Amino acid sequence: MNLHEYQAKQLFAQAGIPVPPGEMATSPIAAFDIAERYNKPVMVKAQVHVGGRGKAGGVKYAENAEAARVLATKIIGMDIKGLEVKKVLVTVAEEILSEAYVGIILDRATQRPVIMVSPAGGIDIEEVAAKTPEKIFKLAVDPVEGLKPFQARDLAYKLYRDIGQVRQAADIIMKLYQVYWTSDASLVEINPLVTVPGGDVVALDAKMNIDDNGLYRRKEIAEMRDIEAEEPSEVKARESDLSFVKLDGNIGCIVNGAGLAMATMDLVKRYGGEPANFLDIGGSSNPAKVVAAMSIILSDPNVKAILINIFGGITRCDDVANGIVAAYNELNPSVPVVVRLTGTNEAEAQKILASMNLPTEDTLDKVVQKAISLADVVA
Amino acid sequence: MSIFINKKTKLLVQGITGRDGSFHAEQMKKYGTNVVGGVTPGKGGTKIAGIPVFNTVSEAVEKTKANTSVIYVPPPFAADAVYEAADAGIELIVCITEGVPANDMMKVVPFVKARGARLIGPNCPGLISPDQSKVGILPGTIVKKGNVGVVSRSGTLTYEAIWALTLAGLGQTTCIGIGGDQVIGTNFIDVLDAFEKDASTKAVVMIGEIGGNDEEKAAQFIKKNMSKPVVAFIAGQTAPPGKRMGHAGAIISGGSGTAADKITALNKAGIPVAGSPTEIPELLKEQMKKVKPAKKKTAARTTKTTKKKAAKKTAKKSTKKKTAKKATKKTTKKTAKKTTKKSAKKSTKKTTKKAAKKSASKKKSSTSKKKSTKKAK
């Protein structure tokens, strides 16, 4: 799950990481009020779950409250990489003397949280990493022991020469690791971490991704989920405990297992079709999941055929077959459906489906080819 | 032969009274796995499908001498179940549970390693050695005994590949799903190494998917350390790039992790990548043919010596074949032992070198620390 900048900054502030004062607004008038209260120049920042907001024109400087109102009018409703901006953060503008980078991510290679810092922070950090990797410093933290103050100091020395700033940065890094661990995050990032006149070190931006598997024990974070900022079909899928990603093709896919779902999509493309979605009904499927999957896919007007590819393991084919029967009764699909069920309780499933008169195939390649030919007929 | 599980596997099922646990305990038993007990706190003394249920793993181990455990408990309790199994002396722990927080696994994995146990998973289908033992949820109907090893990050996609092999007449030694989570107990390299050392495994199928760089690392390992042919499949060639947040992912991976990157890395290491799971058997057969000429010489030698021995030892025609078989077995065992010894020596050399390097770098860092503290003063 992704958090917005304003939400991440709330968590940072709670942990004692210095962030500039700011508040979220959903209307230009609210933005005006916030800026007027601060009575200082502010930044108006689009709150949207995608990178590159600044480059897309979603982050602007406002001299006064009226300017903030005008900018908010422009930014709210703006489209950034396909997502509509519905919220802005109005935050006190700081004079920036230097920009550094601090990030913590779960690193698959070391199977540990890795802290990365660079004195060359800012919007071009990825270019810095690619061209001058010597400017990026990394530390894999022992997850059992946690981050030690000397390690945070070591990293802080890579960022600043002034001992006062080193101490502040070390403190921020320690607190950031606490935020990372206690919120079950998979990523926390401050870019840029800036120094301001007077010498203070401040987190000017904040990004956080949360490990979905940890949300059950982080209720206060789970409640921060902004459903309006997500694709509606993906929200519905999550509520039904399905993983779903909408794509642009016309072959709807219902598959069990992420790997098989991806391989099925790959084959659709290979045989000349275009998948309409990625959909994994997961393990331990109950029939209701199949009904939900079918209704999500049918809500996409591009879909011309649906292929159901199940290789039963923990998923029982008879559960899925019962789901298909229920889906037909409830939804009466207007597009052709082709089914392939193999594995655990396959024979029982075939008995259930026998009365349905659905086209069935026995191999992956065949079910994909059949779906493509059915879609072509409909189109 | 097989890796990790065989006829001697004595299995415990943790979470045996749950919906999935009870169903699959019965499936495993039906397959022929020696399921010696189940564990569910508070349900000790009952029975599921004739299998005795215990309150704790340590009690179950004491009573049944179990050496392997499979975990079907819900995500909030999965990490604790792994700790409990490792603490009770279980050697192989297979965690099927999906949805375990990464923070839990980061702590569990080193704990299990410190106890000298092996963890497979979480979020995996487990493993099966055809006609010997099945631990997990892989359908027993799709496998066939043979000499191909299968290792995969995926679940159901693994079944697809195994089924294709079986239909093509290529049986398996052991099929393993290592799990698709970020933090897992056993990775590709661990399994590839075990297959290389297993005399009965003649070829390996590796199934990867997008994300991380495990496939790239495995490609390097195969090139350096494996004599057996490997064929790969990578899922996710058409997966759309995610709506990425933050820069850390790109910085740490150096931009790698796409299907195209993985396929390039594998091809560079001389490993063919199938375009569809159904193409795996053909590719594998081609690779297995290629291997034969190199081994012909040694094969010819062993048959000569065995023939001589056989001729000397027996006069009875009927027993000739049997002894010849035994003799070849012995010689292959010997050579296998030799090679493993050699590789073991090599690896110890390597590790000592690495250790030396590590300590050197530690020294460096400690001196730099001194410098920085001086500066600070």
Side-chain angles (χ1 to χ4, degrees):
Chain A
M1 182 182 108
N2 295 331
L3 295 185
H4 284 302
E5 176 192 354
Y6 78 92
Q7 296 168 324
K9 279 184 171 167
Q10 280 170 16
L11 294 175
F12 282 15
Q14 280 168 25
I17 297 170
V19 294
E23 268 178 65
M24 187 271 287
T26 52
S27 69
I29 293 164
F32 177 90
D33 288 345
I34 297 164
E36 198 180 41
R37 218 178 312 132
Y38 291 136
N39 197 20
K40 280 179 188 171
V42 293
M43 299 299 295
V44 181
K45 304 176 88 177
Q47 300 295 292
V48 59
H49 290 320
V50 70
R53 294 172 304 166
K55 285 178 182 170
V59 179
K60 296 278 186 198
Y61 172 80
E63 193 66 52
N64 52 44
E66 177 53 22
R69 191 191 61 79
V70 172
L71 282 171
T73 313
K74 280 184 193 162
I75 293 172
I76 295 171
M78 183 185 217
D79 179 287
I80 300 180
K81 294 181 187 172
L83 290 172
E84 191 193 335
V85 180
K86 290 178 177 156
K87 294 174 177 173
V88 290
L89 171 65
V90 181
T91 178
V92 172
E94 300 278 356
E95 195 181 327
I96 300 167
L97 298 182
S98 74
E99 290 186 315
Y101 171 92
V102 180
I104 308 175
I105 190 170
L106 166 54
D107 176 33
R108 211 176 181 128
T110 54
Q111 307 225 313
R112 289 177 168 201
V114 168
I115 305 180
M116 294 180 287
V117 304
S118 176
I123 53 173
D124 295 322
I125 186 68
E126 284 183 41
E127 208 176 304
V128 170
K131 289 183 180 163
T132 49
E134 69 276 6
K135 286 187 184 164
I136 308 277
F137 302 91
K138 297 178 192 172
L139 172 80
V141 181
D142 181 337
V144 179
E145 287 287 334
L147 181 68
K148 302 293 172 199
F150 84 90
Q151 293 173 313
R153 281 199 304 276
D154 272 4
L155 291 168
Y157 279 115
K158 310 286 188 199
L159 301 180
Y160 303 111
R161 292 219 177 95
D162 177 81
I163 186 63
Q165 289 177 339
V166 168
R167 286 199 180 114
Q168 287 183 55
D171 186 51
I172 288 170
I173 292 168
M174 284 301 287
K175 285 171 175 162
L176 191 66
Y177 184 81
Q178 275 309 309
V179 171
Y180 174 90
W181 193 266
T182 56
S183 53
D184 270 296
S186 53
L187 165 84
V188 294
E189 194 172 74
I190 303 173
N191 188 35
L193 180 70
V194 302
T195 52
V196 297
D200 279 352
V201 180
V202 180
L204 214 58
D205 194 8
K207 281 197 178 67
M208 276 183 82
N209 294 357
I210 310 294
D211 174 6
D212 286 350
N213 292 344
L215 283 176
Y216 76 88
R217 59 185 176 197
R218 308 291 174 201
K219 297 257 158 45
E220 70 294 350
I221 293 174
E223 280 167 12
M224 288 181 171
R225 189 187 286 279
D226 183 4
I227 288 169
E228 284 198 349
E230 296 176 22
E231 165 77 38
S233 54
E234 290 174 17
V235 173
K236 195 176 171 195
R238 196 185 47 250
E239 283 166 357
S240 313
D241 205 14
L242 304 165
S243 29
F244 174 84
V245 180
K246 194 184 168 324
L247 302 170
D248 300 327
N250 60 6
I251 314 265
C253 304
I254 298 176
V255 189
N256 67 322
L260 187 58
M262 284 194 283
T264 306
M265 284 161 50
D266 291 351
L267 280 189
V268 168
K269 200 132 185 174
R270 191 159 188 254
Y271 289 119
E274 285 290 337
N277 65 282
F278 164 94
L279 192 153
D280 168 15
I281 61 169
S284 260
S285 67
N286 62 47
K289 274 191 176 182
V290 182
V291 180
M294 196 85 107
S295 92
I296 288 163
I297 288 177
L298 285 170
S299 69
D300 178 354
N302 293 334
V303 170
K304 297 286 178 275
I306 297 176
L307 85 80
I308 301 177
N309 181 29
I310 304 294
F311 211 126
I314 204 158
T315 302
R316 303 184 201 170
C317 290
D318 53 335
D319 280 348
V320 176
N322 282 325
I324 294 171
V325 173
Y328 257 86
N329 293 338
E330 275 179 44
L331 306 164
N332 194 21
S334 52
V335 296
V337 178
V338 56
V339 182
R340 183 233 184 182
L341 297 172
T342 304
T344 310
N345 291 3
E346 177 184 341
E348 289 87 335
Q350 253 130 29
K351 269 182 216 156
I352 294 164
L353 285 184
S355 59
M356 298 280 298
N357 216 6
L358 282 178
T360 56
E361 295 291 344
D362 56 358
T363 72
L364 172 59
D365 295 72
K366 277 194 221 159
V367 77
V368 168
Q369 286 166 324
K370 180 76 180 179
I372 292 170
S373 69
L374 287 172
D376 285 348
V377 171
V378 174
Chain B
M1 284 283 280
S2 56
I3 66 168
F4 303 151
I5 58 167
N6 53 40
K7 275 274 172 211
K8 288 176 189 160
T9 296
K10 286 177 139 189
L11 185 70
L12 278 187
V13 180
Q14 288 177 258
I16 193 168
T17 51
R19 184 185 193 261
D20 294 328
S22 58
F23 178 79
H24 287 284
E26 205 169 343
Q27 294 281 317
M28 288 186 284
K29 203 177 163 189
K30 269 187 197 161
Y31 188 77
T33 307
N34 188 11
V35 184
V36 295
V39 177
T40 297
K43 299 274 174 74
T46 59
K47 275 191 175 180
I48 294 277
I51 304 161
V53 181
F54 301 90
N55 283 322
T56 67
V57 177
S58 64
E59 186 196 351
V61 167
E62 192 190 313
K63 301 257 168 73
T64 66
K65 304 281 176 267
N67 58 9
T68 302
S69 176
V70 62
I71 294 170
Y72 293 95
V73 308
F77 316 107
D80 190 50
V82 179
Y83 281 122
E84 188 183 359
D87 196 57
I90 294 284
E91 292 157 19
L92 177 69
I93 305 159
V94 182
C95 185
I96 308 297
T97 309
E98 179 181 354
V100 186
N103 278 9
D104 289 358
M105 290 318 300
M106 276 194 273
K107 287 184 172 180
V108 168
V109 169
F111 181 88
V112 172
K113 276 187 185 153
R115 299 284 162 132
R118 172 180 296 287
L119 171 68
I120 295 176
N123 189 15
C124 79
L127 65 166
I128 187 166
S129 296
D131 293 353
Q132 296 192 68
S133 187
K134 154 176 149 146
V135 176
I137 60 175
L138 284 124
T141 47
I142 60 168
V143 298
K144 181 190 163 183
K145 197 172 182 177
N147 57 18
V148 178
V150 179
V151 58
S152 169
R153 245 169 81 184
S154 172
T156 47
L157 180 56
T158 321
Y159 312 163
E160 199 72 60
I162 296 169
W163 187 228
L165 289 171
T166 298
L167 287 178
L170 292 167
Q172 305 92 36
T173 49
T174 303
C175 306
I176 303 184
I178 58 175
D181 282 2
Q182 301 225 55
V183 184
I184 51 176
T186 295
N187 61 31
F188 275 133
I189 292 174
D190 298 327
V191 180
L192 290 168
D193 189 42
F195 277 137
E196 176 68 15
K197 285 171 182 159
D198 176 47
S200 58
T201 301
K202 303 294 179 208
V204 178
V205 173
M206 180 176 102
I207 296 153
E209 56 189 47
I210 49 169
N213 64 352
D214 284 9
E215 289 81 0
E216 286 89 333
K217 282 198 270 179
Q220 289 303 310
F221 176 86
I222 294 165
K223 198 179 173 186
K224 274 186 195 163
N225 304 296
M226 285 189 76
S227 64
K228 297 172 184 179
V230 180
V231 167
F233 177 78
I234 302 292
Q237 297 174 44
T238 52
K243 288 163 198 158
R244 209 164 51 85
M245 287 267 298
H247 304 280
I251 296 171
I252 200 139
S253 67
S256 74
T258 66
D261 291 333
K262 290 175 191 298
I263 291 168
T264 312
L266 287 161
N267 284 336
K268 263 191 189 167
I271 303 151
V273 181
S276 156
T278 45
E279 282 175 8
I280 294 170
E282 273 314 304
L283 270 182
L284 198 63
K285 280 180 184 169
E286 277 172 36
Q287 294 298 307
M288 287 168 92
K289 269 182 208 161
K290 279 184 198 166
V291 175
K292 274 185 180 166
K295 280 192 174 173
K296 250 186 183 171
K297 278 184 184 173
T298 50
R301 246 184 254 153
T302 47
T303 42
K304 260 187 194 174
T305 51
T306 50
K307 266 184 190 170
K308 271 184 193 171
K309 275 183 190 172
K312 272 182 190 173
K313 274 189 180 169
T314 94
K316 280 179 198 170
K317 276 179 190 173
S318 58
T319 51
K320 231 185 189 179
K321 276 184 187 170
K322 275 187 189 172
T323 38
K325 262 191 190 170
K326 269 188 193 170
T328 36
K329 257 193 189 171
K330 269 186 191 170
T331 45
T332 45
K333 259 192 189 172
K334 269 184 192 171
T335 46
K337 263 190 189 172
K338 269 183 194 171
T339 46
T340 46
K341 262 190 190 171
K342 267 185 194 170
S343 56
K345 265 187 192 171
K346 267 188 193 170
S347 61
T348 44
K349 261 186 193 173
K350 270 184 196 167
T351 46
T352 44
K353 263 188 190 173
K354 266 189 192 169
K357 267 189 189 173
K358 262 190 188 173
S359 60
S361 61
K362 263 188 191 170
K363 270 180 197 170
K364 267 187 197 170
S365 59
S366 61
T367 47
S368 61
K369 259 176 231 159
K370 273 179 198 165
K371 272 181 196 170
S372 50
T373 39
K374 264 184 195 171
K375 265 186 197 169
K377 278 171 193 169

